[in-house]
Amino acid sequence: MVSVASYNIRKSLGTDRRRQPDRILEVLGEIDADIVALQEVDRRFGQRTSSLSVENILNHTAYEPVRFGTRPTSLGWHGNTILVRKGIEVVTHRRLTLPALEPRGAVLADLRVNGATLRVIGLHLGLVGLWRSRQARAVLDHLHKLEERLPTIIMGDLNQWTTEGGCLAHFAEHHHVIAPGPSFHSSRPILSLDRIITSLDLDVEAAGVHMSAQAKLGSDHLPVWARLKLRAPQEPR
């Protein structure tokens, strides 16, 4: 069993218009997932400094970040990064560039968790439907080209307002698309923008939206989570 979560932290800017990274760290502690995909972790301009410092993550949470940033003070790639519970081995990690009118990217990490190797992708898709579909296909094409096939989890803010179709249709061709529930806007969630997608060899034991008081203040998105179980390989007949 592995627990995962995805959280668009909006550069740690809360719904009260206060930038409080410590509040985001508290929410991460509440979720207590093994693996977390974060979106909008870095400031947008200048040096793209992370709104969460590596030191605070290491000292005040159970996590360590996978470093995807290309600048010394940046943690993510186009705002995306992955946190793993301390003790989980990062086998490899890489940045993916996605087609877009505006800068977009995704991050990938292969992780050793409880004796199994999992592939995790964190992403934040664009605001325009045509480009979201192209970005989804780009992610799937990249996975297809990788030599080693692994149980895969794709998490992030898909910016897909509809419950089906669009970029979701591309992911659904060969994956489970989990809709944990409405996650936006955190003060009154009505849209399921944040999704968790898995390869067919992973079973969903439970999924939901984390709706604590701190989460409602921490960002305009609520975190989504899932508990997953790797399906045992079938015996040959």
Side-chain angles (χ1 to χ4, degrees):
M1 186 79 69
V2 61
S3 57
V4 300
S6 178
Y7 191 12
N8 183 333
I9 67 171
R10 196 171 66 155
K11 308 168 194 67
S12 302
L13 184 65
T15 53
D16 57 1
R17 307 301 301 173
R18 299 169 64 189
R19 197 180 303 278
Q20 292 195 340
D22 290 348
R23 187 160 52 191
I24 297 297
L25 299 181
E26 288 182 28
V27 175
L28 292 174
E30 293 173 354
I31 302 168
D32 195 32
D34 297 312
I35 304 163
V36 183
L38 295 180
Q39 301 88 51
E40 297 195 25
V41 70
D42 296 329
R43 304 288 288 269
R44 188 171 182 180
F45 301 108
Q47 293 299 310
R48 310 290 171 87
T49 301
S50 175
S51 67
L52 300 178
S53 75
V54 174
E55 292 75 15
N56 280 344
I57 294 171
L58 292 174
N59 293 334
H60 300 292
T61 75
Y63 300 104
E64 54 185 318
V66 183
R67 294 294 299 267
F68 295 98
T70 58
R71 294 176 172 86
T73 58
S74 174
L75 190 59
W77 170 244
H78 294 294
N80 299 287
T81 197
I82 295 171
L83 306 182
V84 299
R85 189 181 297 280
K86 293 171 183 173
I88 291 177
E89 178 188 356
V90 180
V91 179
T92 186
H93 68 284
R94 67 189 71 186
R95 300 183 293 265
L96 311 181
T97 299
L98 302 182
L101 286 172
E102 54 182 329
R104 293 283 172 176
V107 292
L108 180 152
D110 291 348
L111 308 171
R112 288 287 294 174
V113 187
N114 300 326
T117 304
L118 301 176
R119 179 162 289 147
V120 177
I121 292 179
L123 45 69
H124 188 183
L125 300 188
L127 298 173
V128 179
L130 173 64
W131 287 100
R132 281 198 300 273
S133 293
R134 291 176 178 175
Q135 291 157 10
R137 289 197 298 268
V139 170
L140 294 169
D141 288 346
H142 184 87
L143 286 172
H144 182 72
K145 292 174 182 176
L146 292 176
E147 182 175 353
E148 186 179 10
R149 297 287 186 265
L150 293 172
T152 299
I153 306 159
I154 304 169
M155 302 186 283
D157 178 359
L158 270 57
N159 266 320
Q160 184 71 44
W161 289 42
T162 58
T163 57
E164 56 187 19
C167 68
L168 298 176
H170 298 296
F171 287 119
E173 289 179 4
H174 301 291
H175 293 77
H176 295 300
V177 179
I178 306 168
S183 56
F184 184 88
H185 186 281
S186 59
S187 61
R188 188 181 179 186
I190 57 174
L191 296 174
S192 299
L193 301 185
D194 303 280
R195 300 292 185 113
I196 298 172
I197 300 161
T198 74
S199 54
L200 301 180
D201 47 8
L202 288 164
D203 289 326
V204 182
E205 298 290 310
V209 180
H210 184 73
M211 301 183 67
S212 71
Q214 285 285 62
K216 289 181 179 181
L217 280 175
S219 171
D220 57 354
H221 286 249
L222 293 169
V224 297
W225 58 269
R227 290 195 294 274
L228 308 172
K229 185 176 181 181
L230 182 61
R231 187 176 299 170
Q234 294 183 348
E235 295 291 335
R237 295 183 178 181

